[in-house]
Amino acid sequence: GEYREVSWDVANTDNELVNCKLVNIRLSADGGFTYPYTLLAETPNNGSAYVFVPDVAGNNMRIRVEAANNIFFDISDSNFSIAPATEPGYTYSLSSVFQEVCLPNTAMFEIETASVLGFAGTLDLDVISDLPEGLTASFSNSSIQAGESTDLTIDMNELFGFNGPLEIQFSTTTEGQDPFIQSLYFEVIDNDMS
């Protein structure tokens, strides 16, 4: 249930020769033989990402950071432990945190939440970034219960003349816990055919 940083050595894999822009972060509970838990899919290959620790406990955990569009990967050097949760809380996962968007277009992210130790609080979601003119963001449901899911739609159909990277942040708040802030990353390609 905790929100923890995973860090890795990019080792020049993001250069033009290798061109690995995105990685997946996976968790093994059997010492690295299998990796059934995707902690984060298609996150920028920048050496660091934050993930929610899933509701799985044990002493034979390992992390694998793998190229999202290639075959290479790296595995943590030794086993580590995940202890069972001691307080009620929530986790959530995203379908991805990066999308390439060719304008005009719409991007959508599915947000799935889970309850830890019977947490039954309401999660309120809100986009907190200043959005460029012509871009709108909306949740299919901005107030959900832990265990429910929602979609975040980023409508870029009226975004004109924008080209390059874009970061949008949203927050999740619930009573009695610190707000959680998540970044979404875009590579926006202007497609002005006029």
Side-chain angles (χ1 to χ4, degrees):
E2 291 184 357
Y3 193 58
R4 289 293 186 98
E5 182 180 19
V6 175
S7 59
W8 63 95
D9 182 359
V10 176
N12 293 320
T13 58
D14 61 343
N15 66 21
E16 291 180 14
L17 184 63
V18 180
N19 197 30
C20 176
K21 301 296 182 198
L22 304 172
V23 295
N24 302 320
I25 301 173
R26 299 189 189 277
L27 175 70
S28 171
D30 59 12
F33 291 104
T34 63
Y35 289 85
Y37 305 99
T38 299
L39 303 179
L40 196 55
E42 296 185 342
T43 190
N45 183 18
N46 59 14
S48 175
Y50 282 86
V51 298
F52 274 103
V53 178
D55 191 11
V56 58
N59 297 319
N60 296 316
M61 306 296 176
R62 288 199 184 218
I63 295 283
R64 180 171 74 188
V65 178
E66 62 186 26
N69 60 352
N70 210 315
I71 59 170
F72 64 89
F73 58 88
D74 192 19
I75 298 172
S76 55
D77 294 334
S78 59
N79 290 345
F80 61 91
S81 298
I82 296 178
T86 58
E87 296 179 14
Y90 70 94
T91 65
Y92 79 85
S93 62
L94 290 157
S95 52
S96 70
V97 295
F98 174 84
Q99 287 192 27
E100 188 173 75
V101 180
C102 186
L103 299 179
N105 212 331
T106 300
M108 189 163 62
F109 295 88
E110 182 181 7
I111 302 167
E112 295 180 359
T113 67
S115 173
V116 176
L117 291 181
F119 178 79
T122 299
L123 307 175
D124 295 310
L125 297 103
D126 187 33
V127 174
I128 58 174
S129 293
D130 290 330
L131 302 177
E133 185 177 340
L135 186 147
T136 59
S138 61
F139 292 94
S140 59
N141 190 349
S142 63
S143 185
I144 60 175
Q145 299 298 309
E148 295 178 341
S149 62
T150 187
D151 294 325
L152 172 58
T153 302
I154 311 292
D155 186 342
M156 299 185 191
N157 285 300
E158 299 297 320
L159 181 63
F160 300 109
F162 190 98
N163 202 46
L166 174 66
E167 179 180 353
I168 296 176
Q169 292 184 324
F170 70 90
S171 68
T172 305
T173 56
T174 188
E175 188 175 326
Q177 295 191 14
D178 292 334
F180 168 71
I181 297 175
Q182 174 68 55
S183 290
L184 303 173
Y185 304 94
F186 301 88
E187 184 63 37
V188 180
I189 301 164
D190 188 16
N191 192 21
D192 184 359
M193 297 298 196
S194 62

